[in-house]
Amino acid sequence: VSLIMKRISSNGVYELFVPNLNELCLYKFAITNGEQTVFKADPYAFYTETPPNSASKIYNLNGYQWQDSEYISNKTTYYDKPVNIYEVNLGSWKRHADGKYYSYLELKDELVKYVVDMGYTHVEFMPVNEYPYDGSWGYQVTGYYSVTSRLGTPHDFMYLIDCFHKAGI
């Protein structure tokens, strides 16, 4: 189905509302110059297909029940405390014997424990945004608001963050 977006500003912002679409519905933008059409993923989507496919997916970020209220209520600044940050690329930290990535849900079992056991106070994820080429480690971002679907859903990622917070990280 082809629908035309409406320009809503002079600096190139367009919009389109399509009613009655289901969660995980795939979509792309078609950019036409009169001679050719190029299909592009939505750089502001919250979820995408797993590469090598690249369509955007409708995904509702609402509904995740955060379990980190104790961490959030006790959050403090670290200006007067030691800080030890573990920087990690989630896709390359550890892989299964067959080379497949650990999922966000699997990482919570091993990575959270590792970070705590090693005495880190914080964890810094190297790029987790969606990207097209595995060899780039995530530095070729194609989805600014989409965590990589290689490791699971946005709610799975939220759960991983929740687990770090419950562990005090």
Side-chain angles (χ1 to χ4, degrees):
V1 174
S2 181
L3 303 168
I4 298 175
M5 298 181 81
K6 176 183 168 188
R7 187 176 196 152
I8 61 170
S9 80
S10 61
N11 46 337
V13 177
Y14 291 77
E15 74 175 1
L16 174 68
F17 176 74
V18 182
N20 304 318
L21 294 177
N22 296 323
E23 183 123 13
L24 303 180
C25 181
L26 302 175
Y27 70 97
K28 282 190 174 185
F29 295 123
I31 301 169
T32 304
N33 69 3
E35 296 178 20
Q36 71 181 70
T37 300
V38 178
F39 292 92
K40 297 285 187 177
D42 182 354
Y44 297 100
F46 296 129
Y47 195 35
T48 61
E49 282 187 294
T50 303
N53 298 321
S54 62
S56 303
K57 290 183 178 182
I58 294 175
Y59 194 87
N60 187 351
L61 294 179
N62 295 325
Y64 181 79
Q65 298 297 311
W66 290 96
Q67 304 295 311
D68 62 353
S69 58
E70 183 178 337
Y71 173 85
I72 295 299
S73 65
N74 293 324
K75 202 163 62 168
T76 182
T77 61
Y78 282 85
Y79 299 119
D80 60 343
K81 297 177 182 80
V83 172
N84 191 12
I85 303 169
Y86 186 65
E87 182 182 47
V88 62
N89 182 292
L90 298 178
S92 66
W93 180 71
K94 196 177 226 185
R95 292 204 184 173
H96 291 283
D98 63 2
K100 289 185 180 176
Y101 297 110
Y102 271 59
S103 70
Y104 297 123
L105 300 179
E106 292 169 322
L107 285 164
K108 67 97 177 146
D109 292 328
E110 294 197 34
L111 182 57
V112 174
K113 182 180 180 334
Y114 177 81
V115 169
V116 170
D117 288 350
M118 296 300 290
Y120 290 100
T121 59
H122 296 75
V123 65
E124 176 185 356
F125 297 142
M126 293 169 70
V128 293
N129 307 87
E130 195 55 76
Y131 58 98
Y133 174 60
D134 283 347
S136 78
W137 282 18
Y139 287 101
Q140 295 175 326
V141 174
T142 55
Y144 300 111
Y145 298 99
S146 175
V147 293
T148 182
S149 59
R150 291 166 175 82
L151 309 181
T153 70
H155 282 168
D156 295 342
F157 181 73
M158 292 174 184
Y159 182 69
L160 175 62
I161 300 301
D162 230 355
C163 290
F164 273 109
H165 287 176
K166 283 192 249 182
I169 304 296

